[in-house]
């Protein structure tokens, strides 16, 4: 079947998923600590193709410094005191604009650390998966547990089977348990004593609710001893998925949604995978004869909780209020000083003074507006969803090359269901140079009377993402010059997220995901992190299908 892989292919795919992709890791290493934050510190909202809008204040600062230098060097003879004052103010505000992006990044990181609880003190990150499971089941659990630890506020993820045995555990556990299989045995014994029923469901937002439940009947449990909040989600009739955090009320509604979605996915994948375990064992496919267990960082930061884990060592993180006030404290007084210098200096402003003022004034405006937004004095308007049904039809179209019963097709269906449930995505298209792989959700109507949607096509934005391997987020499509490319989306689509993904077996080995939303800035940083995780899983699925096809061809050749 499409899910029976050879040991070499499974080993490769497990290694791939443990890190969730080296390229993704390098690109997101700086941003992973802020994925829990949904704040947006950008002040310039319009989009210039190929330019990161968050860096625009810095670009303005560079242009301002260059213009001020040119204005100063172009003066013949002595430079007036008024001009020197204007140029000094302009240079100060230009440097302030240059600092906006790094300060914004540091504030994002500090906000993310504040919202996302740090690892427990004295803890060690571990991964343990039972040898009773097939390699394909280990593959599913490796991805699911890593994604939950990375993109939600849980510290530990535990999978409890219906027979009371813990078959998978990943996250931060207190030191003292020697060996990964010993971890599973200890957890199994703890939960057996707690008497948790399989396929349980529930959410306990704080320690008091936990104490009133059966979960805290045994306080010495290594998974629950320091627990402050927990969520249980049934994995069909197969078992229960448990997410635990050591911070109260830390598991957000969106976290609970994704935990439920992954539990549903495991409910459909694990029973089939488990039925293959005996066959794979007889065939000698045991992942190289080793347990799929390891200590891993898995883009989760340090592997051990440290004594200063709860403290931010950066200057910005330690003084966020001061740094939020800096742009306003620099820009607004700078504008007042410019006006005073121009009208109270007692002399008629020369052309050079006027030019220096014209350069400095917009820099001060940018700093002032940025400071107002950062200080929450100006509240952003809450985006209102628009109706996209006027010129669209609901679709779910797969590439004809995908067999109806293929695992890849099942994965694509789940990806659409999960993204549509957990985000404001209303349209999803996955396409490559060879054609459309999936078109789901609302699609623009085709020619009148045809009953078919407009066929997607690769435009400049998607082609650039496919070539560079870097995605693009257009939070306000109406104001973007590239909106004419997405003619296959409903006319009133408000925002678009383009995400490249590796799909072995398709033309060129690459494809792009195009997600449309009915809301301006409809995809938060958390949403984008989950889209990245889903794209990694799709890439692994297609890689497995390609390995299966290659293995089948090789076997046939050998028999021949």
């Amino acid at each position: 079947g499409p899910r029976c892989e050879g040991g070499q292919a499974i080993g490769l795919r497990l290694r791939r998923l443990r890190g969730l992709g080296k390229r993704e890791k390098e690109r997101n290493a700086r941003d992973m600590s802020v994925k829990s934050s949904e704040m947006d510190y950008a002040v310039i909202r319009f989009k210039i193709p190929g330019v990161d809008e968050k860096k625009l204040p810095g670009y303005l600062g560079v242009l301002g410094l260059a213009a001020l230098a040119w204005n100063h060097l172009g003066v013949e003879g002595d430079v007036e005191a008024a001009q020197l004052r204007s140029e000094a103010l302009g240079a100060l505000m230009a440097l302030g604009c240059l600092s906006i992006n790094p300060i914004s990044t540091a504030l994002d990181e500090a906000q993310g650390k504040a919202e996302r609880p740090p690892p427990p003190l004295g803890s060690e990150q571990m991964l343990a998966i039972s040898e009773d499971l097939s390699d394909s089941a280990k593959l599913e659990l490796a991805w699911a547990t890593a994604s939950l630890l990375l993109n939600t506020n849980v510290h530990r993820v535990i999978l409890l089977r219906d027979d009371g045995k813990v078959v998978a555990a990943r996250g931060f556990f207190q030191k003292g348990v020697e060996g990964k299989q010993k971890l599973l045995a200890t957890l199994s014994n703890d939960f057996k004593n707690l008497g948790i029923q399989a396929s349980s469901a529930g959410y306990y937002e704080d320690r008091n609710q936990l104490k009133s439940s059966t979960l805290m009947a045994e306080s010495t449990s290594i998974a629950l001893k320091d627990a402050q909040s927990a969520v249980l989600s049934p994995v069909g009739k197969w078992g229960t998925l448990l997410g635990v955090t050591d911070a109260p009320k830390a598991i957000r509604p969106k976290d609970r949604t994704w935990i439920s979605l992954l539990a549903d996915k495991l409910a459909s994948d694990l029973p089939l995978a488990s039925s293959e375990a005996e066959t794979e064992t007889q065939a000698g496919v045991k992942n190289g004869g080793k347990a799929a267990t390891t200590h891993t960082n898995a883009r989760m930061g340090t592997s051990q909780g440290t004594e200063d884990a709860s403290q931010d060592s950066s200057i910005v993180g330690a003084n966020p209020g001061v740094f939020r006030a800096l742009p306003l404290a620099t820009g607004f007084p700078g504008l007042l000083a410019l006006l005073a210098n121009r009208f109270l200096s007692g002399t008629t402003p020369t052309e050079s003074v006027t030019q220096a003022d014209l350069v400095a004034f917009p820099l001060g405006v940018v700093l002032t507006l940025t400071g107002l937004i950062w200080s929450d004095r100006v509240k952003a308007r809450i985006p209102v969803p628009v109706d996209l049904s006027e010129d669209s039809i609901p679709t779910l179209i797969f590439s004809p090359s995908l067999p109806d019963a293929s695992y890849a097709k099942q994965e694509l269906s789940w990806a659409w269901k999960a993204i549509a449930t957990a985000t404001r995505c209303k349209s999803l298209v996955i396409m490559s140079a060879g054609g459309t792989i999936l078109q789901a959700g609302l699609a623009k109507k085709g020619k009148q009377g045809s009953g078919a949607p407009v066929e997607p096509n690769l435009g400049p934005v998607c082609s650039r993402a496919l070539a560079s391997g870097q995605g693009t987020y257009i939070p306000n499509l109406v104001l973007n010059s590239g909106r004419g490319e997405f003619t296959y989306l409903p006319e009133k689509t408000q925002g678009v997220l383009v995400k490249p993904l590796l799909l072995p077996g398709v033309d060129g080995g690459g494809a792009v995901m195009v997600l449309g939303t009915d809301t301006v800035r409809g995809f938060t940083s958390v949403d984008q992190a989950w889209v990245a995780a889903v794209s990694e899983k799709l890439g692994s699925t297609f890689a497995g299908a390609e390995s299966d096809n290659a293995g089948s061809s090789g076997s046939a050749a050998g028999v021949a």
Side-chain angles (χ1 to χ4, degrees), residues 1-200:
R3 290 166 53 82
C4 295
E5 300 88 355
Q8 184 177 2
I10 276 290
L12 175 62
R13 292 163 67 192
L14 279 170
R15 287 193 298 273
R16 215 176 143 205
L17 281 177
R18 281 186 188 127
L20 290 181
K22 181 178 180 181
R23 181 167 56 84
E24 283 291 324
K25 178 178 180 180
E26 292 174 350
R27 184 164 66 250
N28 294 330
R30 185 187 64 182
D31 299 327
M32 281 302 102
S33 63
V34 304
K35 288 302 181 185
S36 63
S37 174
E38 299 186 7
M39 298 186 69
D40 184 3
Y41 292 106
V43 62
I44 300 179
R45 297 295 183 187
F46 60 86
K47 181 77 174 178
I48 299 177
V51 177
D52 186 350
E53 64 186 49
K54 290 187 177 181
K55 296 181 180 179
L56 281 176
Y59 296 151
L60 291 176
V62 172
L63 291 175
L65 288 174
L68 289 171
W70 181 268
N71 182 67
H72 183 84
L73 296 175
V75 176
E76 296 181 359
D78 295 334
V79 179
E80 293 185 9
Q83 179 181 341
L84 290 175
R85 289 192 292 269
S86 291
E87 290 175 346
L89 290 169
L92 177 63
M93 290 187 286
L95 293 175
C97 288
L98 283 170
S99 68
I100 286 178
N101 188 52
I103 292 178
S104 173
T105 301
L107 286 172
D108 276 336
E109 292 175 354
Q111 179 71 22
K113 291 176 182 178
E115 293 181 359
R116 183 166 189 165
L121 300 181
S123 63
E124 186 175 23
Q125 190 180 161
M126 301 180 68
L127 164 66
I129 301 178
S130 173
E131 276 298 296
D132 294 343
L133 299 178
S134 68
D135 284 326
S136 52
K138 294 171 185 174
L139 184 72
E140 294 294 330
L141 289 171
W143 172 77
T145 55
S147 297
L148 288 174
L149 285 178
L150 176 64
N151 299 320
T152 69
N153 283 342
V154 299
H155 287 130
R156 294 175 289 286
V157 180
I158 298 167
L159 179 62
L160 179 67
R161 201 162 56 189
D162 58 358
D163 59 3
K165 181 178 180 180
V166 174
V167 296
R170 188 171 196 162
F172 293 94
F173 295 89
Q174 293 297 324
K175 294 180 180 180
V177 179
E178 297 296 334
K180 322 304 186 301
Q181 295 304 315
K182 182 67 177 296
L183 173 64
L184 294 180
T186 302
L187 288 171
S188 296
N189 185 62
D190 288 344
F191 284 107
K192 181 179 179 181
N193 294 335
L194 294 177
I196 295 178
Q197 299 295 320
S199 303
S200 298

